[in-house]
């Protein structure tokens, strides 16, 4: 039987644990099936600009603990809406047909797309256009439909928690309200988990728009009780009731250009005005995406990688490998592409946090 040739790309924002997936895919493909693995560079951009290399067993040896992705990534390279600038004019072009031709030239039996909602949505479109594709869920935001968890999330929670712990001690010393802004555009998973892990007094997530007067009341009540500091953990995508998110910048050359950030500063100024207490804001930003993955993410990435090869071996294309409870399971990319996995307002961790006196800035 002809040995399969497969290709792998990593798209969208990077996160800790990607290299564990690449390593597992390449090692299992070579060791168990004698497959050839081609690494596409810089996400879908590599398929537009023909940037790729064959990955040997040695190429992936020693990368398990490394942050980032050895293949490079891009979140500006959606082949269906690729930004092209000609004579100073920028327009979005559909280059999908030329990408499909390039994939055919590579003569591969499957394209593995490791990415978040954007990358997996594009993967689904390519599958519908006839490319055999398998998806692997990657994002610190943990907001991919069809899986209980994505790798990168655990590392981001660990980093955010450590940051909040450090801010905690200086909040106590200076009797300040410290606001820590973490990532999470539409879903507040990182804020919820790191907020609970670090004993945050107030946790503000996109799914529960907050009432500034309730946030201020909580801070003042703590002060009255002699707790002269407060810790507020806020997701970048959080917004006040009746208000909107804060856009930090519009990315260049991107089909999804909105970059959020700055809600922590807005909240700080408003709280200071209402409570007359000094506030400081810290934005965790890309620190949450950098450095070595936690052991959990190394293990999860390794398992997702090996299960990916099983799906390819069985030719179960058009699926993502996901986690349901304690099992790995295939999920159709069609379902994955359907939207964002938000934090349900009755999530058990929200309930527990409320029982501990944590405020979510709402009147419940
Ligand atoms: O999706 C992951 C994420 O880290 C978001 O939480 C954040 O809003 C975004 O990526 C930032 O993207 P960039 O690296 O382009 O600034």
């Amino acid at each position: 039987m002809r040995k399969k040739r497969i290709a792998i790309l990593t798209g969208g924002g990077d996160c800790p644990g990607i290299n564990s997936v690449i390593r597992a895919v390449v090692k299992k493909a070579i060791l168990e099936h004698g497959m050839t693995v081609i690494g596409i560079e810089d996400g879908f951009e590599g398929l537009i600009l023909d940037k790729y290399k064959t990955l040997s067993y040695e190429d992936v040896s020693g990368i398990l603990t490394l942050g980032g992705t050895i293949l490079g990534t891009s979140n500006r390279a959606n082949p269906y809406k690729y930004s092209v600038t000609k004579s100073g004019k920028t327009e979005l072009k559909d280059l999908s047909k030329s990408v499909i031709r390039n994939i055919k030239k590579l003569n591969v039996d499957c394209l593995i797309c490791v990415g978040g909602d954007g990358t997996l949505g594009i993967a689904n479109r390519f599958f519908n256009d006839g490319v055999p594709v398998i998806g692997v869920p990657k994002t610190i935001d943990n907001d991919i439909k069809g899986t209980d968890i994505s790798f990168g999330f655990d590392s981001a929670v660990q980093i955010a928690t450590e940051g909040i712990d450090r801010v905690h001690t200086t909040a106590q010393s200076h009797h300040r309200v410290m606001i820590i802004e973490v990532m999470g555009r539409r879903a507040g998973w990182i804020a919820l988990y790191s907020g609970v892990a670090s004993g945050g007094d107030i946790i503000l997530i996109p799914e529960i728009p907050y009432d500034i007067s309730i946030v201020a009341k909580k801070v003042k009540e703590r002060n009255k009780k002699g707790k002269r500091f407060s810790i507020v953990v806020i997701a970048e995508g959080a917004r006040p009731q009746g208000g909107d998110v804060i856009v930090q910048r519009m990315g260049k050359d991107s089909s999804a250009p909105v970059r959020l950030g700055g809600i922590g500063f807005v909240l700080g100024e408003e709280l200071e005005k209402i409570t007359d207490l000094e506030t400081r804001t810290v934005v965790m930003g890309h620190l949450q995406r950098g450095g070595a993955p936690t052991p959990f993410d190394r293990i999860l990435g390794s398992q997702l990688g090996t299960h990916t090869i099983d799906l390819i071996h069985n030719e179960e294309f058009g699926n993502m490998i996901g986690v349901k409870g304690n099992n790995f399971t295939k999920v159709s990319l069609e379902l994955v592409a359907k939207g964002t996995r938000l934090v349900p307002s009755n999530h058990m961790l929200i309930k527990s946090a409320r029982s501990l006196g944590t405020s979510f800035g709402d009147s419940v």
Side-chain angles (χ1 to χ4, degrees):
M1 213 168 68
R2 176 183 157 274
K3 305 256 194 254
K4 284 191 166 66
R5 275 169 69 82
I6 61 174
I8 178 167
L9 65 78
T10 58
D14 68 346
C15 75
I18 303 184
N19 288 325
S20 65
V21 176
I22 300 172
R23 170 179 176 268
V25 161
V26 174
K27 285 198 171 185
K28 177 158 171 152
I30 293 173
L31 286 180
E32 289 192 2
H33 302 286
M35 294 176 184
T36 300
V37 188
I38 294 161
I40 310 291
E41 292 173 27
D42 300 336
F44 287 106
E45 192 164 284
L47 288 172
I48 295 168
L49 305 176
D50 263 339
K51 296 188 288 182
Y52 57 86
K53 58 188 170 207
T54 303
L55 293 173
S56 67
Y57 191 92
E58 287 67 37
D59 287 330
V60 298
S61 185
I63 67 169
L64 177 63
T65 60
L66 295 183
T69 160
I70 61 159
L71 290 175
T73 185
S74 167
N75 51 14
R76 301 191 302 195
N78 178 351
Y80 289 90
K81 284 183 190 166
Y82 191 67
S83 167
V84 182
T85 306
K86 233 182 184 176
S87 334
K89 234 185 107 200
T90 303
E91 51 181 323
L92 296 176
K93 286 213 155 164
D94 183 353
L95 301 184
S96 57
K97 291 209 167 54
S98 106
V99 163
I100 292 172
R101 273 196 302 276
N102 287 344
I103 296 172
K104 284 211 174 109
K105 264 198 294 181
L106 287 175
N107 193 23
V108 289
D109 300 282
C110 178
L111 172 67
I112 303 168
C113 298
V114 184
D117 52 357
T119 302
L120 297 174
I122 297 168
N124 184 46
R125 287 188 76 171
F126 276 117
F127 178 67
N128 288 331
D129 286 343
V131 179
V133 170
I134 296 289
V136 184
K138 168 238 63 148
T139 170
I140 63 164
D141 294 349
N142 203 31
D143 60 357
I144 299 173
K145 262 205 186 314
T147 184
D148 290 350
I149 191 158
S150 55
F151 71 85
F153 174 63
D154 186 68
S155 302
V157 169
Q158 157 111 13
I159 297 162
T161 304
E162 192 189 328
I164 302 165
D165 287 350
R166 287 179 186 277
V167 165
H168 214 127
T169 56
T170 164
Q172 266 169 318
S173 313
H174 287 267
H175 318 298
R176 283 174 174 154
V177 179
M178 295 298 278
I179 298 163
I180 304 94
E181 182 180 306
V182 298
M183 280 186 170
R185 280 170 296 179
R186 287 178 293 267
W189 294 104
I190 298 177
L192 176 62
Y193 274 69
S194 62
V196 172
S198 58
D201 305 300
I202 298 158
I203 299 173
L204 304 176
I205 61 175
E207 294 87 342
I208 308 178
Y210 63 86
D211 179 337
I212 184 73
S213 61
I214 290 175
V215 177
K217 191 165 157 240
K218 171 79 182 172
V219 168
K220 282 200 243 167
E221 271 169 15
R222 282 179 51 79
N223 261 48
K224 263 197 217 139
K225 284 185 195 151
K227 291 275 188 190
R228 293 171 58 209
F229 73 96
S230 288
I231 299 293
V232 185
V233 182
I234 185 166
E236 62 184 348
R239 62 192 162 88
Q241 287 173 14
D244 220 336
V245 291
I246 301 294
V247 175
Q248 191 207 11
R249 57 184 294 187
M250 297 301 280
K252 268 198 207 154
D253 312 332
S254 171
S255 57
V258 178
R259 291 291 173 273
L260 300 180
I263 186 70
F265 292 103
V266 173
L267 179 76
E269 269 180 36
E270 285 179 351
L271 268 186
E272 208 163 278
K273 268 190 233 150
I274 303 174
T275 62
D276 216 18
L277 295 167
E278 203 177 11
T279 69
R280 290 287 187 275
T281 296
V282 176
V283 179
M284 291 295 298
H286 289 78
L287 284 175
Q288 295 159 97
R289 294 220 316 242
T294 56
F296 181 90
D297 276 335
R298 296 177 200 185
I299 293 164
L300 178 58
S302 300
Q303 287 181 292
L304 289 170
T306 54
H307 280 88
T308 296
I309 295 301
D310 292 339
L311 288 186
I312 295 174
H313 184 62
N314 298 330
E315 310 206 334
E316 297 184 270
F317 305 125
N319 288 302
M320 176 189 83
I321 181 75
V323 179
K324 270 274 158 280
N326 287 327
N327 295 311
F328 289 89
T329 167
K330 62 173 190 210
V331 189
S332 83
L333 282 169
E334 201 66 52
L335 184 140
V336 174
K338 279 214 162 83
T340 309
R341 194 177 76 95
L342 301 177
V343 179
S345 55
N346 63 351
H347 189 274
M348 59 184 175
L349 195 49
I350 294 189
K351 283 190 186 161
S352 298
R354 287 195 198 275
S355 318
L356 300 172
T358 306
S359 168
F360 286 83
D362 57 351
S363 54
V364 174

